[in-house]
Amino acid sequence: LRDNRIELVRASWHELSISVSDVSLSDEGQYTCSLFTMPVKTSKAFLTVLGVPEKPQITGFTSPVMEGERMQLTCKTSGSKPAADIRWFKNDKEVKDVKYLKEEDAVRKTFTVSSTLDFLADRSDDGAVVSCRVDHESLNSTPQIAMQVLEIHYTPLVKIISSNSWPEEGQSIILTCESKGKPVPEPVLWTKDGGELPDPERMVVNGRVLSISFLNKTDNGTYRCEAKNPIGRNSTEYVLIVHDVFNTLLPTTVIPSLTTATVTTNVALTASTTTSATATSIR
């Protein structure tokens, strides 16, 4: 062995040791130790050199992506021997349905492996972290990871929340229009029964909030909230029904249908010279 990277560590009648620094793939092969006796005795061992995979890279992502578009993300790493394993994760949850490709480098006897993640963009993927993980026996259980944060643009999602579930005449009500989209939706548009709000003095719009004071039956109708952004627009409706004021009866005295009374009267009768009488109680 004639190489500056190979050093003689120990030499005796019983042991001959060498060390190899800066190991490369070319060091792989069969090594022979010989004892020059008569006859010559030899011992052989085959050295396997692992090819460490390069740090992976994710390609194919262009920001932003519109909801409903197809996304194809490819993770690629080279230099592994044997071929490395690639796994995909979305928010730490593994994605199984992927395509795997392995190519061998004929000169260096290493492998270039790639994997493609194919899916339709959804608004729930906005802000999700997609990671590509490369596992290989040369990494000592410490995988190499590449990450990509997704940015998905989508039309607004609109919802109306009412402050009063049973509005009555004379009361107030606050309707809040929650709109979520990317990019952030523009200020919302409030309408009633397909037209403008009929009473601006009582119907006040502040941002996404519609406040109606001193409710009456003329306020009955369908209120629509519409939100839009550069991707599109969306709306939702709320049907307002103003109820009559609930009348509460004052406390009254209940009189029983049957009443019993006892009356005692003393009656004096005219007495003659011969007879007399005493009045008796009459019930």
Side-chain angles (χ1 to χ4, degrees):
L1 296 175
R2 300 183 183 277
D3 194 308
N4 293 332
R5 297 178 299 109
I6 300 177
E7 180 184 355
L8 182 62
V9 176
R10 183 179 301 174
S12 69
W13 293 107
H14 305 287
E15 182 180 340
L16 188 64
S17 300
I18 62 172
S19 67
V20 183
S21 60
D22 193 17
V23 175
S24 65
L25 291 174
S26 61
D27 295 323
E28 181 172 288
Q30 183 171 274
Y31 288 75
T32 304
C33 172
S34 299
L35 178 62
F36 290 97
T37 58
M38 292 298 292
V40 177
K41 296 180 180 179
T42 61
S43 181
K44 300 180 179 181
F46 191 90
L47 174 65
T48 300
V49 179
L50 299 177
V52 181
E54 298 175 358
K55 186 175 181 178
Q57 292 184 342
I58 297 178
T59 59
F61 179 75
T62 56
S63 181
V65 178
M66 304 302 169
E67 183 179 30
E69 290 185 354
R70 180 169 296 279
M71 296 184 62
Q72 289 186 335
L73 303 181
T74 300
C75 179
K76 187 176 182 180
T77 180
S78 302
S80 60
K81 178 178 173 292
D85 183 36
I86 295 181
R87 298 163 65 189
W88 284 97
F89 294 84
K90 183 189 292 185
N91 289 338
D92 297 328
K93 183 178 181 181
E94 186 171 2
V95 181
K96 296 289 188 179
D97 188 15
V98 296
K99 297 178 181 179
Y100 181 82
L101 178 63
K102 178 175 65 175
E103 298 176 345
E104 184 177 5
D105 183 351
V107 178
R108 300 182 58 196
K109 297 182 180 180
T110 59
F111 291 90
T112 296
V113 294
S114 62
S115 179
T116 301
L117 178 64
D118 190 335
F119 63 98
L120 293 178
D122 186 81
R123 64 183 60 197
S124 61
D125 295 327
D126 183 50
V129 178
V130 174
S131 58
C132 162
R133 170 174 168 172
V134 175
D135 293 296
H136 193 262
E137 52 189 299
S138 67
L139 300 177
N140 297 324
S141 301
T142 305
Q144 293 181 337
I145 299 176
M147 294 186 297
Q148 177 66 60
V149 179
L150 303 182
E151 183 182 3
I152 312 298
H153 283 192
Y154 54 93
T155 56
L157 180 65
V158 187
K159 180 173 64 173
I160 295 179
I161 299 177
S162 172
S163 65
N164 193 340
S165 60
W166 186 267
E168 298 179 356
E169 288 185 294
Q171 294 181 346
S172 299
I173 190 172
I174 298 176
L175 302 179
T176 303
C177 180
E178 290 187 350
S179 60
K180 181 182 179 182
K182 196 164 186 178
V184 177
E186 301 173 3
V188 299
L189 175 64
W190 282 99
T191 58
K192 181 193 176 193
D193 297 331
E196 296 182 355
L197 299 177
D199 192 346
E201 293 185 358
R202 292 188 305 109
M203 301 177 177
V204 180
V205 176
N206 185 9
R208 291 177 168 80
V209 177
L210 169 61
S211 302
I212 307 176
S213 58
F214 303 107
L215 290 170
N216 58 66
K217 292 298 182 67
T218 63
D219 297 326
N220 289 345
T222 301
Y223 292 80
R224 177 189 293 269
C225 169
E226 181 180 283
K228 64 179 181 179
N229 63 6
I231 310 303
R233 64 180 62 198
N234 203 350
S235 63
T236 188
E237 296 179 344
Y238 176 84
V239 178
L240 174 62
I241 300 177
V242 179
H243 301 274
D244 295 329
V245 178
F246 180 71
N247 293 322
T248 303
L249 294 176
L250 296 176
T252 57
T253 302
V254 178
I255 302 175
S257 59
L258 294 177
T259 302
T260 301
T262 300
V263 179
T264 302
T265 305
N266 294 325
V267 179
L269 301 179
T270 303
S272 66
T273 57
T274 56
T275 60
S276 65
T278 301
T280 59
S281 298
I282 301 174
R283 174 171 296 183

